[in-house]
Amino acid sequence: MSSEVSRRQVLIGGSIVAGTALLGSPAFSGVPANMGIPDVDVYVMVVDGMRPDELRADLTPMLTGLAAGGIHYPNASAINIAETLPNHTAMMTGVYPARSGVPANSVYDPAVGKARDLDRASDLQTSTVLERVRTELGLTTASVLSKHYLHGLFGDRASVVWDPQPLLPGTAHAPDNFTIDALIRIVGDSSPRLSFTNLGDVDRVGHLDLSGPSIRIARTAALQNTDNQVRRFVDFLHATGRWNRSIVIVLADHSMDWSEPARLVGLDRPLNADPLLAGKIRIAQNGGADLIYFVGPDEDRSEATARIQQIVGSVAGVESSHLPAEFNLGANAGDVVAFCSQGWRFSDPTPLSNPIPGNHGHSVTLPIPFFLSGGHPALDGGRALAEQARTIDVAPTVAALLGLGAPVGGWDGVARTAGVAVPA
Protein backbone atom coordinates (compact mmCIF):
# COMPACT_ATOMS: atom_id res chain seq x y z
CA MET A 1 0.00 0.00 0.00
CA SER A 2 1.28 3.46 -0.93
CA SER A 3 2.46 5.57 1.99
CA GLU A 4 0.80 8.67 0.49
CA VAL A 5 -2.90 7.95 0.02
CA SER A 6 -5.53 10.17 -1.56
CA ARG A 7 -8.63 8.47 -0.18
CA ARG A 8 -9.95 8.15 3.33
CA GLN A 9 -9.14 5.01 5.25
CA VAL A 10 -10.55 3.73 8.50
CA LEU A 11 -8.98 0.86 10.43
CA ILE A 12 -11.71 -1.11 12.18
CA GLY A 13 -10.98 -4.32 14.03
CA GLY A 14 -7.77 -4.93 12.12
CA SER A 15 -9.01 -4.35 8.57
CA ILE A 16 -8.67 -1.21 6.46
CA VAL A 17 -11.89 0.07 4.94
CA ALA A 18 -11.68 2.71 2.20
CA GLY A 19 -14.21 5.50 2.00
CA THR A 20 -14.79 8.78 0.21
CA ALA A 21 -15.89 11.18 2.95
CA LEU A 22 -13.56 14.18 2.99
CA LEU A 23 -13.47 17.06 5.41
CA GLY A 24 -13.49 20.48 3.83
CA SER A 25 -10.03 21.97 3.52
CA PRO A 26 -9.43 24.36 6.42
CA ALA A 27 -8.19 27.87 5.94
CA PHE A 28 -4.45 28.32 6.31
CA SER A 29 -1.82 30.96 5.76
CA GLY A 30 -0.64 29.51 2.44
CA VAL A 31 3.06 30.05 3.20
CA PRO A 32 5.02 27.08 4.59
CA ALA A 33 7.04 27.90 7.70
CA ASN A 34 10.02 26.06 6.17
CA MET A 35 10.79 23.22 3.79
CA GLY A 36 10.45 20.65 6.53
CA ILE A 37 12.54 17.52 6.94
CA PRO A 38 11.81 15.51 3.77
CA ASP A 39 12.35 12.02 5.14
CA VAL A 40 10.95 12.29 8.67
CA ASP A 41 8.14 10.28 10.23
CA VAL A 42 6.62 12.02 13.25
CA TYR A 43 4.99 9.98 16.03
CA VAL A 44 3.11 11.85 18.76
CA MET A 45 2.57 9.50 21.70
CA VAL A 46 0.51 10.60 24.72
CA VAL A 47 0.88 8.68 27.97
CA ASP A 48 -2.44 9.84 29.37
CA GLY A 49 -2.30 11.02 32.99
CA MET A 50 1.41 10.43 33.55
CA ARG A 51 3.11 12.58 36.18
CA PRO A 52 6.59 14.01 35.49
CA ASP A 53 7.93 12.36 38.66
CA GLU A 54 6.99 8.99 37.14
CA LEU A 55 9.61 9.46 34.42
CA ARG A 56 12.39 7.59 36.21
CA ALA A 57 14.59 4.63 35.40
CA ASP A 58 13.23 2.23 38.03
CA LEU A 59 9.62 2.72 36.91
CA THR A 60 9.61 3.63 33.21
CA PRO A 61 13.08 2.72 31.92
CA MET A 62 12.23 2.90 28.22
CA LEU A 63 10.58 6.30 28.40
CA THR A 64 13.31 7.59 30.69
CA GLY A 65 16.00 6.40 28.28
CA LEU A 66 14.24 8.03 25.33
CA ALA A 67 14.02 11.30 27.26
CA ALA A 68 17.68 11.19 28.26
CA GLY A 69 18.76 10.53 24.68
CA GLY A 70 16.44 13.13 23.23
CA ILE A 71 15.42 16.72 23.92
CA HIS A 72 13.73 16.82 27.30
CA TYR A 73 11.58 19.64 28.68
CA PRO A 74 11.44 18.90 32.44
CA ASN A 75 9.34 22.02 33.16
CA ALA A 76 6.57 21.17 30.71
CA SER A 77 2.90 21.88 31.33
CA ALA A 78 -0.59 21.15 30.14
CA ILE A 79 -2.86 24.08 29.37
CA ASN A 80 -5.85 24.92 31.49
CA ILE A 81 -8.08 23.10 31.93
CA ALA A 82 -5.82 20.10 32.64
CA GLU A 83 -8.18 17.53 31.13
CA THR A 84 -7.89 14.98 28.34
CA LEU A 85 -10.04 16.51 25.61
CA PRO A 86 -8.78 20.13 25.72
CA ASN A 87 -5.13 19.11 25.88
CA HIS A 88 -5.31 16.56 23.07
CA THR A 89 -7.12 19.23 21.09
CA ALA A 90 -4.37 21.74 21.90
CA MET A 91 -1.75 19.23 20.73
CA MET A 92 -3.31 18.82 17.29
CA THR A 93 -4.57 22.39 16.73
CA GLY A 94 -1.86 24.52 18.34
CA VAL A 95 -4.51 27.03 19.48
CA TYR A 96 -6.31 27.87 22.72
CA PRO A 97 -9.81 26.58 23.52
CA ALA A 98 -11.35 29.96 22.62
CA ARG A 99 -10.48 29.07 19.01
CA SER A 100 -10.90 25.30 19.13
CA GLY A 101 -14.17 25.19 21.08
CA VAL A 102 -12.89 22.55 23.53
CA PRO A 103 -12.18 24.07 26.98
CA ALA A 104 -12.79 20.99 29.15
CA ASN A 105 -13.94 17.39 29.02
CA SER A 106 -17.46 18.35 30.05
CA VAL A 107 -19.38 21.57 29.39
CA TYR A 108 -22.95 22.71 29.94
CA ASP A 109 -24.80 22.49 26.64
CA PRO A 110 -27.89 24.74 26.59
CA ALA A 111 -29.21 22.90 23.54
CA VAL A 112 -29.72 19.74 25.61
CA GLY A 113 -30.12 21.48 28.97
CA LYS A 114 -27.37 19.54 30.75
CA ALA A 115 -23.62 18.99 30.96
CA ARG A 116 -22.10 16.63 28.42
CA ASP A 117 -18.71 15.47 27.18
CA LEU A 118 -17.30 17.16 24.09
CA ASP A 119 -17.15 13.86 22.22
CA ARG A 120 -18.58 14.83 18.82
CA ALA A 121 -16.51 15.65 15.75
CA SER A 122 -18.56 18.85 15.37
CA ASP A 123 -17.41 20.00 18.83
CA LEU A 124 -13.89 20.60 17.48
CA GLN A 125 -14.34 23.90 15.67
CA THR A 126 -10.97 24.46 14.01
CA SER A 127 -8.48 22.59 11.87
CA THR A 128 -5.93 20.08 13.14
CA VAL A 129 -2.58 19.05 11.74
CA LEU A 130 -4.06 15.59 11.13
CA GLU A 131 -6.17 16.79 8.20
CA ARG A 132 -3.97 19.72 7.20
CA VAL A 133 -0.92 17.50 6.70
CA ARG A 134 -3.17 15.17 4.70
CA THR A 135 -4.90 17.78 2.52
CA GLU A 136 -2.21 20.45 2.15
CA LEU A 137 0.93 18.31 1.98
CA GLY A 138 -0.61 15.15 0.56
CA LEU A 139 0.91 12.97 3.29
CA THR A 140 -0.68 10.08 5.14
CA THR A 141 -1.69 10.69 8.76
CA ALA A 142 -3.09 8.35 11.41
CA SER A 143 -5.01 8.65 14.67
CA VAL A 144 -4.76 5.75 17.14
CA LEU A 145 -6.75 6.95 20.14
CA SER A 146 -7.55 4.52 22.92
CA LYS A 147 -10.42 6.47 24.49
CA HIS A 148 -13.88 6.35 22.98
CA TYR A 149 -14.60 10.04 23.49
CA LEU A 150 -11.26 11.09 22.01
CA HIS A 151 -12.00 8.97 18.97
CA GLY A 152 -15.39 10.67 18.71
CA LEU A 153 -13.96 14.19 19.02
CA PHE A 154 -11.29 13.75 16.34
CA GLY A 155 -13.59 11.86 14.00
CA ASP A 156 -12.17 11.02 10.59
CA ARG A 157 -9.68 13.87 10.29
CA ALA A 158 -6.69 11.56 9.76
CA SER A 159 -6.06 9.42 6.67
CA VAL A 160 -6.21 6.28 8.79
CA VAL A 161 -8.42 6.15 11.87
CA TRP A 162 -8.48 3.34 14.42
CA ASP A 163 -11.82 2.53 16.00
CA PRO A 164 -10.61 1.64 19.52
CA GLN A 165 -11.44 -1.88 20.62
CA PRO A 166 -11.97 -3.76 22.77
CA LEU A 167 -13.38 -1.05 25.03
CA LEU A 168 -13.21 -1.98 28.70
CA PRO A 169 -16.50 -1.68 30.61
CA GLY A 170 -16.48 1.32 32.94
CA THR A 171 -13.45 3.00 31.36
CA ALA A 172 -14.51 3.17 27.69
CA HIS A 173 -10.93 2.75 26.55
CA ALA A 174 -8.89 0.09 24.79
CA PRO A 175 -5.93 -1.31 26.77
CA ASP A 176 -2.48 -0.14 25.75
CA ASN A 177 -1.38 -3.48 24.31
CA PHE A 178 -4.27 -3.37 21.81
CA THR A 179 -3.51 0.28 21.05
CA ILE A 180 0.13 -0.47 20.28
CA ASP A 181 -0.94 -3.51 18.23
CA ALA A 182 -3.08 -1.17 16.14
CA LEU A 183 -0.31 1.43 15.82
CA ILE A 184 2.19 -1.18 14.67
CA ARG A 185 -0.33 -2.55 12.17
CA ILE A 186 -1.14 0.90 10.78
CA VAL A 187 2.51 1.95 10.48
CA GLY A 188 3.36 -1.36 8.83
CA ASP A 189 0.49 -1.10 6.35
CA SER A 190 0.28 2.64 5.62
CA SER A 191 3.58 4.27 6.71
CA PRO A 192 1.99 7.50 7.95
CA ARG A 193 4.23 10.54 8.07
CA LEU A 194 2.31 11.74 11.15
CA SER A 195 0.61 9.57 13.73
CA PHE A 196 -1.20 10.59 16.92
CA THR A 197 -1.55 7.95 19.63
CA ASN A 198 -3.21 8.01 23.03
CA LEU A 199 -2.26 5.37 25.60
CA GLY A 200 -4.97 5.39 28.25
CA ASP A 201 -4.07 2.75 30.84
CA VAL A 202 -2.08 4.96 33.22
CA ASP A 203 -4.88 7.52 33.41
CA ARG A 204 -7.66 4.97 33.84
CA VAL A 205 -5.85 3.17 36.67
CA GLY A 206 -4.92 6.54 38.18
CA HIS A 207 -8.56 7.51 38.56
CA LEU A 208 -9.01 4.49 40.81
CA ASP A 209 -5.93 5.11 42.97
CA LEU A 210 -6.92 5.34 46.63
CA SER A 211 -3.27 5.86 47.62
CA GLY A 212 -3.42 2.52 49.42
CA PRO A 213 -0.71 -0.05 48.78
CA SER A 214 -2.71 -2.47 46.60
CA ILE A 215 -4.03 0.23 44.28
CA ARG A 216 -0.64 1.95 44.17
CA ILE A 217 0.77 -1.34 42.95
CA ALA A 218 -1.83 -1.29 40.18
CA ARG A 219 -0.69 2.15 38.98
CA THR A 220 2.93 1.03 39.09
CA ALA A 221 2.01 -2.02 37.02
CA ALA A 222 0.17 0.18 34.52
CA LEU A 223 3.17 2.48 34.14
CA GLN A 224 5.52 -0.45 33.67
CA ASN A 225 3.22 -2.06 31.12
CA THR A 226 2.82 1.18 29.16
CA ASP A 227 6.59 1.58 29.17
CA ASN A 228 6.90 -1.94 27.75
CA GLN A 229 4.32 -1.15 25.07
CA VAL A 230 6.35 1.89 24.01
CA ARG A 231 9.39 -0.40 23.92
CA ARG A 232 7.49 -2.77 21.61
CA PHE A 233 6.80 0.08 19.21
CA VAL A 234 10.38 1.36 19.27
CA ASP A 235 11.63 -2.19 18.67
CA PHE A 236 9.25 -2.40 15.69
CA LEU A 237 10.66 0.84 14.26
CA HIS A 238 14.18 -0.56 14.60
CA ALA A 239 13.27 -3.95 13.12
CA THR A 240 11.60 -2.43 10.07
CA GLY A 241 14.30 0.16 9.36
CA ARG A 242 12.08 3.09 10.32
CA TRP A 243 13.93 4.27 13.44
CA ASN A 244 16.40 6.40 11.48
CA ARG A 245 13.42 8.24 9.91
CA SER A 246 11.67 8.79 13.22
CA ILE A 247 11.11 11.70 15.56
CA VAL A 248 8.92 10.66 18.49
CA ILE A 249 7.20 13.34 20.56
CA VAL A 250 6.21 11.88 23.93
CA LEU A 251 4.15 13.77 26.50
CA ALA A 252 1.16 13.57 28.81
CA ASP A 253 -2.06 15.56 28.57
CA HIS A 254 -2.19 16.20 32.34
CA SER A 255 -0.92 14.57 35.51
CA MET A 256 -2.96 13.27 38.46
CA ASP A 257 -3.91 14.15 42.03
CA TRP A 258 -5.67 12.06 44.68
CA SER A 259 -8.14 13.04 47.37
CA GLU A 260 -9.37 11.41 50.53
CA PRO A 261 -13.07 10.41 50.61
CA ALA A 262 -14.14 13.34 52.81
CA ARG A 263 -12.29 16.02 50.83
CA LEU A 264 -15.18 16.88 48.53
CA VAL A 265 -16.06 20.33 47.24
CA GLY A 266 -19.67 21.03 46.32
CA LEU A 267 -20.62 24.36 44.79
CA ASP A 268 -24.18 23.66 43.69
CA ARG A 269 -25.73 24.09 47.15
CA PRO A 270 -24.01 27.34 48.27
CA LEU A 271 -24.55 29.00 44.88
CA ASN A 272 -28.23 28.12 44.75
CA ALA A 273 -28.67 29.41 48.30
CA ASP A 274 -28.08 32.95 47.02
CA PRO A 275 -31.28 34.78 45.98
CA LEU A 276 -29.76 36.24 42.81
CA LEU A 277 -28.39 32.86 41.68
CA ALA A 278 -31.03 30.40 42.89
CA GLY A 279 -32.26 28.22 40.04
CA LYS A 280 -30.03 30.04 37.56
CA ILE A 281 -26.79 28.09 37.99
CA ARG A 282 -25.54 25.18 35.92
CA ILE A 283 -22.27 23.39 36.64
CA ALA A 284 -20.11 21.18 34.44
CA GLN A 285 -18.01 19.18 36.87
CA ASN A 286 -14.54 18.20 35.68
CA GLY A 287 -12.99 16.59 38.75
CA GLY A 288 -10.41 19.19 39.64
CA ALA A 289 -12.31 22.04 37.96
CA ASP A 290 -15.90 23.26 37.90
CA LEU A 291 -17.26 25.32 35.02
CA ILE A 292 -20.06 27.51 36.34
CA TYR A 293 -22.76 28.95 34.07
CA PHE A 294 -25.28 31.68 34.90
CA VAL A 295 -28.47 31.03 32.91
CA GLY A 296 -30.44 34.01 34.19
CA PRO A 297 -31.05 37.34 32.42
CA ASP A 298 -28.06 38.84 30.62
CA GLU A 299 -28.54 42.15 32.42
CA ASP A 300 -27.77 40.34 35.69
CA ARG A 301 -24.68 38.52 34.41
CA SER A 302 -22.05 40.97 35.64
CA GLU A 303 -23.44 41.05 39.16
CA ALA A 304 -24.02 37.30 39.12
CA THR A 305 -20.44 36.61 38.05
CA ALA A 306 -19.06 38.69 40.89
CA ARG A 307 -21.42 36.95 43.33
CA ILE A 308 -20.37 33.51 42.07
CA GLN A 309 -16.69 34.30 42.63
CA GLN A 310 -17.40 35.71 46.08
CA ILE A 311 -19.31 32.61 47.17
CA VAL A 312 -16.91 30.13 45.58
CA GLY A 313 -13.97 31.80 47.28
CA SER A 314 -15.44 31.08 50.71
CA VAL A 315 -15.89 27.32 50.15
CA ALA A 316 -13.34 25.01 51.79
CA GLY A 317 -11.20 23.13 49.29
CA VAL A 318 -11.42 25.77 46.55
CA GLU A 319 -8.00 27.02 45.49
CA SER A 320 -9.12 29.84 43.18
CA SER A 321 -11.75 31.07 40.76
CA HIS A 322 -11.26 32.80 37.42
CA LEU A 323 -13.01 34.30 34.45
CA PRO A 324 -12.64 31.97 31.44
CA ALA A 325 -10.94 34.75 29.44
CA GLU A 326 -7.90 34.49 31.74
CA PHE A 327 -7.06 31.18 30.08
CA ASN A 328 -8.51 31.84 26.60
CA LEU A 329 -11.19 29.23 27.25
CA GLY A 330 -13.97 30.78 25.18
CA ALA A 331 -17.73 30.96 25.57
CA ASN A 332 -18.15 27.19 26.07
CA ALA A 333 -16.48 27.50 29.48
CA GLY A 334 -19.32 29.52 30.99
CA ASP A 335 -18.96 32.46 33.36
CA VAL A 336 -16.60 31.31 36.13
CA VAL A 337 -13.99 28.54 36.38
CA ALA A 338 -13.16 27.20 39.84
CA PHE A 339 -10.14 25.04 40.71
CA CYS A 340 -9.93 22.87 43.80
CA SER A 341 -6.91 22.67 46.07
CA GLN A 342 -4.42 19.80 45.98
CA GLY A 343 -5.89 16.72 47.63
CA TRP A 344 -9.50 17.78 47.03
CA ARG A 345 -12.04 17.12 44.29
CA PHE A 346 -15.28 18.65 43.06
CA SER A 347 -18.47 16.63 43.29
CA ASP A 348 -21.48 18.45 41.89
CA PRO A 349 -24.38 18.53 42.21
CA THR A 350 -24.23 16.00 45.09
CA PRO A 351 -21.48 14.30 47.13
CA LEU A 352 -22.20 11.12 45.15
CA SER A 353 -21.66 12.76 41.76
CA ASN A 354 -17.91 12.15 41.71
CA PRO A 355 -16.83 9.06 43.66
CA ILE A 356 -13.48 8.87 41.85
CA PRO A 357 -10.51 9.68 44.12
CA GLY A 358 -8.05 10.30 41.28
CA ASN A 359 -8.74 13.61 39.51
CA HIS A 360 -7.15 16.32 37.41
CA GLY A 361 -8.02 19.66 35.89
CA HIS A 362 -6.67 21.80 38.74
CA SER A 363 -3.31 23.53 39.08
CA VAL A 364 -1.32 20.72 40.70
CA THR A 365 -2.07 18.50 37.67
CA LEU A 366 -0.62 20.89 35.07
CA PRO A 367 3.02 19.58 35.13
CA ILE A 368 3.65 16.82 32.56
CA PRO A 369 6.54 14.90 30.99
CA PHE A 370 7.44 16.17 27.50
CA PHE A 371 10.35 15.21 25.23
CA LEU A 372 11.40 14.64 21.62
CA SER A 373 13.41 11.56 20.81
CA GLY A 374 14.07 9.24 17.89
CA GLY A 375 16.74 8.05 15.52
CA HIS A 376 16.52 10.70 12.81
CA PRO A 377 19.94 12.32 12.24
CA ALA A 378 18.33 15.77 12.30
CA LEU A 379 17.73 15.35 16.04
CA ASP A 380 20.71 16.22 18.23
CA GLY A 381 19.61 14.74 21.55
CA GLY A 382 21.03 14.29 25.01
CA ARG A 383 19.93 17.65 26.37
CA ALA A 384 17.41 19.06 28.82
CA LEU A 385 15.97 22.52 28.15
CA ALA A 386 14.54 24.86 30.77
CA GLU A 387 11.78 26.32 28.58
CA GLN A 388 8.25 25.51 29.66
CA ALA A 389 7.01 23.49 26.70
CA ARG A 390 3.26 22.98 26.68
CA THR A 391 0.78 20.69 25.02
CA ILE A 392 -0.22 23.54 22.71
CA ASP A 393 3.32 23.48 21.27
CA VAL A 394 2.94 20.06 19.65
CA ALA A 395 1.08 21.18 16.51
CA PRO A 396 3.54 23.97 15.57
CA THR A 397 6.40 21.54 16.26
CA VAL A 398 4.86 18.94 13.96
CA ALA A 399 4.26 21.64 11.36
CA ALA A 400 7.89 22.78 11.50
CA LEU A 401 9.18 19.22 11.11
CA LEU A 402 6.93 18.51 8.12
CA GLY A 403 6.97 21.94 6.47
CA LEU A 404 3.35 22.92 7.11
CA GLY A 405 2.38 26.58 7.31
CA ALA A 406 0.57 28.19 10.21
CA PRO A 407 -3.23 28.39 10.21
CA VAL A 408 -5.02 31.68 9.69
CA GLY A 409 -4.57 33.62 12.91
CA GLY A 410 -1.24 31.87 13.56
CA TRP A 411 -0.28 29.41 16.25
CA ASP A 412 -0.92 30.06 19.92
CA GLY A 413 1.82 27.55 20.71
CA VAL A 414 5.54 27.59 19.88
CA ALA A 415 7.50 25.16 17.70
CA ARG A 416 9.88 23.25 19.99
CA THR A 417 12.62 22.52 17.47
CA ALA A 418 15.73 23.44 19.49
CA GLY A 419 18.21 20.68 18.81
CA VAL A 420 16.51 19.65 15.57
CA ALA A 421 18.05 20.61 12.22
CA VAL A 422 14.99 21.94 10.41
CA PRO A 423 15.73 23.38 6.92
CA ALA A 424 15.09 27.11 6.68
Side-chain angles (χ1 to χ4, degrees), residues 6-366:
S6 59
R7 59 185 180 177
R8 309 291 284 122
Q9 299 171 319
V10 181
L11 186 75
I12 303 176
S15 62
I16 294 179
V17 180
T20 58
L22 286 172
L23 290 168
S25 296
F28 69 105
S29 64
V31 181
N34 53 65
M35 296 301 293
I37 302 173
D39 59 345
V40 68
D41 298 328
V42 181
Y43 303 98
V44 179
M45 304 187 74
V46 184
V47 183
D48 202 310
M50 184 177 179
R51 295 164 53 111
D53 60 2
E54 292 169 329
L55 188 67
R56 61 180 203 257
D58 64 324
L59 184 59
T60 51
M62 184 66 194
L63 290 167
T64 303
L66 289 173
I71 300 165
H72 183 205
Y73 293 90
N75 299 314
S77 173
I79 64 164
N80 277 309
I81 293 170
E83 294 279 318
T84 295
L85 295 178
N87 275 281
H88 281 77
T89 299
M91 292 176 204
M92 289 294 101
T93 64
V95 303
Y96 284 116
R99 295 170 65 184
S100 74
V102 184
N105 282 356
S106 177
V107 302
Y108 173 72
D109 186 344
V112 297
K114 63 180 180 180
R116 69 169 180 88
D117 286 343
L118 291 172
D119 57 0
R120 307 169 184 172
S122 59
D123 290 328
L124 209 173
Q125 297 169 9
T126 192
S127 61
T128 75
V129 290
L130 288 169
E131 78 267 16
R132 290 192 58 218
V133 167
R134 172 175 61 81
T135 59
E136 297 170 27
L137 302 183
L139 305 179
T140 303
T141 63
S143 63
V144 187
L145 305 173
S146 71
K147 292 184 173 181
H148 186 260
Y149 66 173
L150 267 176
H151 171 69
L153 178 66
F154 282 92
D156 64 349
R157 290 172 181 263
S159 310
V160 184
V161 178
W162 179 54
D163 184 2
Q165 54 183 282
L167 294 177
L168 296 182
T171 68
H173 92 291
D176 288 355
N177 58 319
F178 290 96
T179 306
I180 290 296
D181 284 347
L183 178 60
I184 288 173
R185 189 163 60 246
I186 289 170
V187 172
D189 288 346
S190 301
S191 296
R193 298 290 300 281
L194 168 64
S195 69
F196 183 39
T197 302
N198 166 271
L199 299 168
D201 282 0
V202 171
D203 173 74
R204 290 317 195 195
V205 170
H207 281 296
L208 302 176
D209 192 341
L210 298 171
S211 298
S214 61
I215 306 298
R216 179 66 67 181
I217 289 171
R219 182 169 176 89
T220 297
L223 284 158
Q224 291 173 337
N225 179 66
T226 298
D227 191 71
N228 284 330
Q229 298 307 317
V230 174
R231 183 186 301 277
R232 281 182 58 213
F233 181 63
V234 171
D235 288 347
F236 163 78
L237 295 178
H238 279 286
T240 57
R242 291 178 166 89
W243 181 246
N244 289 339
R245 294 177 51 91
S246 301
I247 292 181
V248 186
I249 303 173
V250 179
L251 73 164
D253 50 346
H254 54 76
S255 58
M256 192 71 69
D257 183 39
W258 293 278
S259 59
E260 298 173 1
R263 288 199 162 187
L264 299 176
V265 184
L267 299 182
D268 184 78
R269 181 174 295 181
L271 290 173
N272 278 288
D274 183 271
L276 175 65
L277 305 177
K280 303 169 188 173
I281 291 296
R282 304 292 184 270
I283 298 175
Q285 185 250 123
N286 284 268
D290 263 3
L291 307 189
I292 305 166
Y293 301 74
F294 178 70
V295 296
D298 279 342
E299 58 265 28
D300 294 340
R301 188 171 307 279
S302 178
E303 183 183 357
T305 298
R307 192 81 59 85
I308 290 169
Q309 289 199 274
Q310 179 184 18
I311 294 169
V312 166
S314 68
V315 176
V318 172
E319 180 183 79
S320 60
S321 69
H322 306 265
L323 302 181
E326 292 182 47
F327 306 115
N328 293 295
L329 295 181
N332 275 359
D335 296 287
V336 174
V337 178
F339 296 118
C340 68
S341 301
Q342 182 175 359
W344 292 74
R345 70 180 184 271
F346 286 110
S347 187
D348 281 299
T350 75
L352 300 178
S353 299
N354 181 16
I356 300 171
N359 286 271
H360 45 84
H362 46 311
S363 301
V364 72
T365 63
L366 286 169

